[in-house]
Amino acid sequence: MVLPVPSVQANMVKAFTPVAGTKPFNVNFSSSFYKSPVKCPPAMAVQVMKEVGDRKHAFCRWQSGTISWPGAVERLLSPFLDIGLDVDSAFTIPKQISQFQIGLLSLPKSHKQAAFMDDYDEQPEGEEEESEYQQLRSKQRAEDKVGEAWQIGFSVSPEASGLQLSYARNLFSGTAANDPVRSEWSSEGHYALPPANEPRSIRVEVASTVNMDLSLSWKIEGSRQVGELTRMGLGVGVEGPHGLVMTVSWSRLGQKIKLPIAVCPIDMVNADAAALAIIFPWVAYCAWEFGFIRPRERKNRRRVIARRQKELKKLVPIKRAESLQATELMTEQVRRRQAKEERQDGLVITKAEYGHYPSKKKGNDVGKEYEVVDVTIPVAGLVDRSQLVIPKNMVKVSLSSACNFMRIQLANSEQFHILGFYDPAPLLPKTLKIWYTYHGAQHYVEATDSEAIACPMRTHLMADEI
């Protein structure tokens, strides 16, 4: 009764539309064989479902449950075939209840729909995640947000009849398990950060049944992914005559093992006992998750990033020299173009800086060892007809063609780099600050690597010019 039972299941699904132009009815017929048909007939089930709203489905289901061959059939075939269950076979067939159920089901959105909505529909215009890690976190939060599912139905069976309610959703997914995202671009190419493990959410399911005699049975179960294909769970509930029962479950690739543990009999179950059975495991898990697992992930990730930063900082002097050489070659031409813009009272870049600026609110001094690059000439070289446009998908760091092609493949969009830029702070977020004049008025704008810049704009006017 503990190990999984081998079985063979056959399903046939058919959709038909009795009235043209309406939602189809989906009919699902299934049969499960746990033993040879000679021992017992298969457990059969028929379900009819129809969509009645956005992810809302009305359903009607009948299942035969675990049954044996009628005595008349056994006597009729006994001269030809030894039909019927023996003692050993009877104890190795999982018990299933015969019942008829009708109700309403709300399904969660698919993962693809969740990722699409979060990345495009719900993002503010002009905003983009800074790295693949943020994109994974965003998709995971969207999947959890739309992971809510509920069901209400009325069931009738030989053992009990009543109203069933169930609700399920994911928890513990909105908090980042690691440090804030860092830029993964360096002057040497594409250096992807180590894979960031999003904290695996807890799937919580609550089910309750109100029987015809007004007795109440309920169950709360939480499960967590512990491997790529493996989940473990813990549940607490009142299951009829069994009293307060705690269940430990393990599932992998459709196979599931549930170990029930009786806590106290039904006549001793009260609100205090049920609350303690729920609170103690929940507090223990929270202490383990937030006191050990996530701090360890943050510490390991900081160590790997610090080691990679140390390696990349050795390349900064070489790339600085290459950037200065490229800037010297374009200086004379850029100055002539800027002089022409100044005569026409157009857009003139007075100063531009690019680098890592640590947050002042947190008192972080990690950025003091990184320099801020003067990129006035490279930015001024982008001015065309009194306009400056730097798309958000423009990689500011100079990359080799091979690495640039890799970035194109990853982002599935065209990428460019700005000549004369280099990365002064590898694996750290950087900001581009630009001071410029337009029609004699001073303007200022700044943007991160994931933001676009368009000049001139009235919102860039400095306070003393307004």
Side-chain angles (χ1 to χ4, degrees):
M1 298 300 293
V2 175
L3 297 178
V5 178
S7 63
V8 176
Q9 185 173 11
N11 290 274
M12 183 177 67
V13 182
K14 177 66 175 179
F16 68 95
T17 306
V19 180
T22 61
K23 296 286 186 179
F25 287 87
N26 296 309
V27 180
N28 186 347
F29 175 79
S30 64
S31 58
S32 301
F33 296 83
Y34 297 98
K35 290 291 182 180
S36 168
V38 175
K39 299 292 184 180
C40 66
M44 295 178 292
V46 179
Q47 176 175 283
V48 180
M49 181 177 293
K50 178 178 173 61
E51 184 177 359
V52 294
D54 183 20
R55 296 180 292 110
K56 304 296 189 298
H57 300 265
F59 67 92
C60 177
R61 177 180 175 84
W62 171 83
Q63 61 184 28
S64 64
T66 303
I67 57 177
S68 59
W69 287 111
V73 176
E74 293 183 8
R75 290 190 298 269
L76 179 64
L77 298 180
S78 58
F80 313 101
L81 193 64
D82 184 12
I83 192 171
L85 285 174
D86 51 29
V87 176
D88 294 336
S89 299
F91 283 100
T92 57
I93 295 179
K95 180 182 179 182
Q96 294 186 1
I97 301 175
S98 176
Q99 66 174 358
F100 175 79
Q101 189 176 18
I102 184 171
L104 184 65
L105 173 67
S106 175
L107 298 175
K109 293 181 180 178
S110 65
H111 289 185
K112 293 182 179 180
Q113 292 174 332
F116 179 82
M117 288 184 60
D118 185 79
D119 288 345
Y120 299 96
D121 295 346
E122 297 181 2
Q123 288 283 350
E125 186 176 357
E127 181 178 347
E128 185 183 23
E129 300 293 350
E130 293 186 0
S131 71
E132 295 178 11
Y133 170 59
Q134 282 287 17
Q135 293 175 3
L136 291 175
R137 283 196 60 231
S138 176
K139 292 179 181 180
Q140 180 66 48
R141 288 197 304 267
E143 292 172 4
D144 294 342
K145 182 179 179 182
V146 300
E148 295 182 339
W150 56 265
Q151 177 178 330
I152 179 172
F154 183 79
S155 63
V156 179
S157 66
E159 293 189 1
S161 302
L163 182 65
Q164 296 180 344
L165 302 171
S166 65
Y167 177 79
R169 69 159 300 157
N170 295 344
L171 299 177
F172 292 161
S173 62
T175 304
N178 302 295
D179 292 339
V181 63
R182 290 179 167 87
S183 171
E184 65 180 32
W185 285 97
S186 76
S187 55
E188 189 63 17
H190 180 266
Y191 289 86
L193 292 178
N197 294 324
E198 176 73 16
R200 297 186 176 97
S201 60
I202 305 298
R203 184 68 175 178
V204 177
E205 299 182 7
V206 181
S208 177
T209 302
V210 181
N211 299 318
M212 297 298 292
D213 57 357
L214 298 184
S215 61
L216 178 67
S217 61
W218 54 269
K219 180 181 68 173
I220 300 177
E221 184 176 4
S223 62
R224 185 183 192 273
Q225 186 176 357
V226 296
E228 185 177 359
L229 303 171
T230 307
R231 297 186 70 89
M232 291 190 67
L234 178 67
V236 178
V238 175
E239 300 181 3
H242 302 290
L244 186 62
V245 178
M246 182 178 294
T247 57
V248 179
S249 62
W250 177 92
S251 62
R252 176 179 174 84
L253 293 176
Q255 296 293 328
K256 189 171 184 178
I257 298 177
K258 296 187 70 173
L259 178 63
I261 304 172
V263 178
C264 60
I266 188 64
D267 55 349
M268 297 180 59
V269 175
N270 53 36
D272 294 337
L276 291 176
I278 296 174
I279 292 176
F280 279 173
W282 185 258
V283 171
Y285 174 78
C286 290
W288 175 260
E289 176 77 14
F290 296 99
F292 176 74
I293 296 180
R294 299 196 183 192
R296 183 187 62 177
E297 290 182 355
R298 290 194 295 266
K299 182 178 179 180
N300 293 339
R301 186 166 176 79
R302 284 195 297 264
R303 186 184 299 113
V304 173
I305 290 177
R307 183 167 59 249
R308 186 160 295 182
Q309 283 178 334
K310 186 176 180 180
E311 297 173 356
L312 296 178
K313 282 165 62 176
K314 298 178 181 179
L315 304 174
V316 171
I318 301 175
K319 294 303 176 179
R320 183 194 303 117
E322 295 177 357
S323 175
L324 291 176
Q325 183 179 6
T327 302
E328 291 177 358
L329 294 176
M330 69 173 74
T331 298
E332 187 62 29
Q333 180 182 5
V334 170
R335 286 179 177 173
R336 288 198 301 267
R337 294 175 59 183
Q338 286 287 276
K340 181 179 178 181
E341 290 285 343
E342 188 173 3
R343 290 193 300 269
Q344 298 175 354
D345 206 13
L347 193 151
V348 179
I349 305 298
T350 57
K351 183 180 179 182
E353 293 179 350
Y354 180 66
H356 172 66
Y357 297 87
S359 175
K360 297 180 181 179
K361 295 181 180 180
K362 298 181 181 179
N364 188 6
D365 296 332
V366 69
K368 290 185 177 180
E369 57 180 304
Y370 296 101
E371 63 177 317
V372 176
V373 185
D374 184 358
V375 290
T376 306
I377 296 299
V379 173
L382 300 176
V383 177
D384 183 26
R385 298 180 182 179
S386 297
Q387 290 184 346
L388 171 64
V389 178
I390 301 179
K392 61 183 179 180
N393 62 347
M394 177 177 286
V395 179
K396 299 173 178 62
V397 179
S398 179
L399 305 174
S400 65
S401 58
C403 295
N404 196 31
F405 177 76
M406 182 188 303
R407 179 63 173 173
I408 294 173
Q409 296 298 100
L410 289 173
N412 197 24
S413 61
E414 190 175 5
Q415 300 286 336
F416 306 93
H417 66 269
I418 303 177
L419 187 63
F421 273 62
Y422 73 94
D423 192 346
L427 300 182
L428 286 174
K430 290 166 283 292
T431 304
L432 175 61
K433 298 183 177 181
I434 302 175
W435 292 262
Y436 66 94
T437 60
Y438 183 71
H439 289 177
Q442 297 290 331
H443 294 68
Y444 169 77
V445 63
E446 66 177 49
T448 63
D449 286 337
S450 61
E451 296 175 334
I453 294 179
C455 303
M457 294 187 67
R458 189 177 298 274
T459 56
H460 298 168
L461 272 172
M462 300 183 70
D464 54 353
E465 297 287 345
I466 299 178

